[in-house]
Amino acid sequence: FWVLNRPEWLAEAWMTPEIFGAEEGVSIPKIGEPFRLIPMNVDPPEHRPYQQILTREMFAPRIVDSLSNEFREMTRERLDALQPLGRADFNAEYAYVLPVEIFLRMLGIPASRRSEFAGPVERVFRGTDPEAITAAIVEVAMMLDAWIDEALQDRYAPREAHLLEAMMRAEVEGVPLSKPELSSIATMLMLGGLDTVTSATLHQLHFLATHPAHRDQLLADPSIAPDAVEEMLRRFSVANVARTVREDTEFHGVQMRAGEMVMMSTTLAGLSESAYSDALRVDFARPRVRARSLVFGKGVHMCSGHALARRELLITVEEVLPRLPNLRLAPGSAIEYVSGGTLSIGSPLPLEWDSA
């Protein structure tokens, strides 16, 4: 498969879905008959009404703003429970717990069911066998079916879980979403909610725990936290999604043939020296990082949940550092990375802090 690693090339490919299509699948290795995830595997013009449901009714900034206090309280409760311990594996005790609990609450699924989804989601993002990846996606969808069936018994009942209520009330051209459409959207939300924010959280906490100057800079001036989150997202971008070439084309001097796969590597794009000088260095004052960001994609397939993801990451940075003073990586720790649809930390992340 081809790899696009310059930001301007990724942006161009994302903006031309008629040549670089998502309907044929967004994972490498290519899945023969992909499970159709809405709106991820839907291209224009069919894509637009589905995307509007997510951007206007599920993840609009006004909705994220209204939920921020609840997210912050959940974060504080988790950190207050960890603080007296002086040490914890932030992979198992935070990054793989809190973002998931937040997302399950928004979907109206009990947090006690988190472990049921962890295994198949892991196989989706770390799998190397197309059949195994497909089977894992189907497994997630099947686990969500009973939840959807229960909700459909009283489709228009008011619900505290706003994602579920938005799905139940959503329409496309005046027609309520069907059971297959609801299952597809729910599966896409579950896959996105259980890995990407977790991976980004792990990278950012690891960086701050191993770079005391940057940690102390944030403590001295918390107002720079939004810029710091954007810069760490650039430096440690996690998503590597795929597109399929739909017709023979020449792309920047390279002849690509219909049916070939193209990896859209946000990880490599964030490290491009053509766009970012001294790209490996984290600089919280780097100009226009968010304005040029491709971390969440671009164009019609830009991640609908980017406002939620950014807010969760910001709240973590704002709450972790003052509550866990002198945050640091435990001596002798060996950090191991795992790759696939996202690049994450697969090993424990043992962090220490001053608890007295």
Side-chain angles (χ1 to χ4, degrees):
F1 56 89
W2 301 102
V3 180
L4 303 186
N5 62 355
R6 293 189 181 182
E8 61 270 25
W9 294 350
L10 266 74
E12 182 180 345
W14 263 316
M15 297 296 287
T16 52
E18 64 275 12
I19 297 176
F20 298 97
E23 293 182 358
E24 298 84 354
V26 296
S27 65
I28 293 175
K30 187 174 184 178
I31 299 173
E33 295 183 6
F35 187 93
R36 189 172 187 257
L37 296 174
I38 298 174
M40 185 183 299
N41 297 129
V42 181
D43 282 324
E46 186 184 1
H47 173 273
R48 182 177 176 82
Y50 292 118
Q51 184 75 355
Q52 288 179 337
I53 293 170
L54 273 70
T55 56
R56 295 179 180 178
E57 306 301 330
M58 294 185 179
F59 299 113
R62 60 180 172 78
I63 295 174
V64 175
D65 288 343
S66 70
L67 296 171
S68 289
N69 288 338
E70 183 179 2
F71 295 166
R72 193 175 296 276
E73 187 59 34
M74 293 172 68
T75 301
R76 289 174 174 174
E77 289 178 3
R78 170 63 57 173
L79 293 173
D80 287 347
L82 294 176
Q83 198 279 333
L85 304 177
R87 175 179 175 138
D89 172 11
F90 260 65
N91 197 325
E93 299 296 333
Y94 187 90
Y96 266 91
V97 177
L98 190 62
V100 177
E101 288 183 357
I102 289 173
F103 212 78
L104 292 181
R105 183 175 296 190
M106 293 170 67
L107 280 171
I109 299 175
S112 59
R113 297 194 60 190
R114 180 182 65 85
S115 60
E116 297 178 40
F117 294 95
V121 169
E122 178 82 6
R123 292 193 293 275
V124 170
F125 285 97
R126 311 286 170 249
T128 58
D129 176 75
E131 293 184 359
I133 294 173
T134 302
I137 296 174
V138 172
E139 186 176 348
V140 173
M142 291 180 65
M143 286 191 289
L144 290 169
D145 271 357
W147 166 73
I148 293 173
D149 284 336
E150 182 179 348
L152 284 173
Q153 291 178 12
D154 190 357
R155 184 169 196 138
Y156 299 107
R159 295 176 170 89
E160 292 184 5
H162 88 278
L163 290 185
L164 177 59
E165 180 164 12
M167 289 169 59
M168 291 296 110
R169 296 178 179 274
E171 298 180 348
V172 173
E173 296 182 354
V175 179
L177 297 179
S178 66
K179 168 71 180 296
E181 288 173 318
L182 290 169
S183 178
S184 178
I185 292 173
T187 302
M188 188 275 299
L189 292 173
M190 184 65 71
L191 292 175
L194 266 68
D195 189 88
T196 51
V197 175
T198 289
S199 298
T201 299
L202 287 169
H203 287 300
Q204 296 193 11
L205 288 174
H206 176 255
F207 175 79
L208 293 172
T210 54
H211 292 76
H214 289 80
R215 179 199 67 198
D216 294 345
Q217 185 182 0
L218 276 166
L219 285 168
D221 185 5
S223 69
I224 68 171
D227 292 334
V229 167
E230 290 299 326
E231 171 68 351
M232 289 188 287
L233 278 170
R234 174 202 66 82
R235 173 61 182 85
F236 305 106
S237 184
V238 303
N240 291 289
V241 298
R243 292 292 185 266
T244 299
V245 181
R246 288 185 160 163
E247 59 185 51
D248 291 353
T249 187
E250 183 176 306
F251 189 73
H252 293 280
V254 174
Q255 188 65 41
M256 297 181 178
R257 297 178 179 177
E260 292 180 336
M261 298 293 289
V262 178
M263 177 179 283
M264 316 278 281
S265 178
T266 67
T267 303
L268 294 177
L271 301 178
S272 173
E273 290 288 340
S274 68
Y276 306 102
S277 61
D278 198 8
L280 289 174
R281 180 173 60 90
V282 172
D283 178 4
F284 293 161
R286 191 184 295 272
R288 300 185 65 249
V289 175
R290 178 161 181 168
R292 296 184 292 167
S293 176
L294 294 175
V295 169
F296 296 101
K298 188 176 179 66
V300 297
H301 281 293
M302 184 174 181
C303 173
S304 304
H306 70 89
L308 173 64
R310 284 183 160 113
R311 188 64 55 85
E312 289 186 53
L313 293 168
L314 176 61
I315 289 173
T316 288
V317 168
E318 291 176 335
E319 298 296 335
V320 165
L321 296 184
R323 275 179 160 69
L324 306 180
N326 195 22
L327 187 72
R328 57 197 180 270
L329 186 67
S333 301
I335 303 301
E336 296 180 1
Y337 296 90
V338 291
S339 62
T342 56
L343 175 65
S344 189
I345 294 176
S347 63
L349 181 61
L351 302 183
E352 297 180 346
W353 54 90
D354 297 341
S355 59

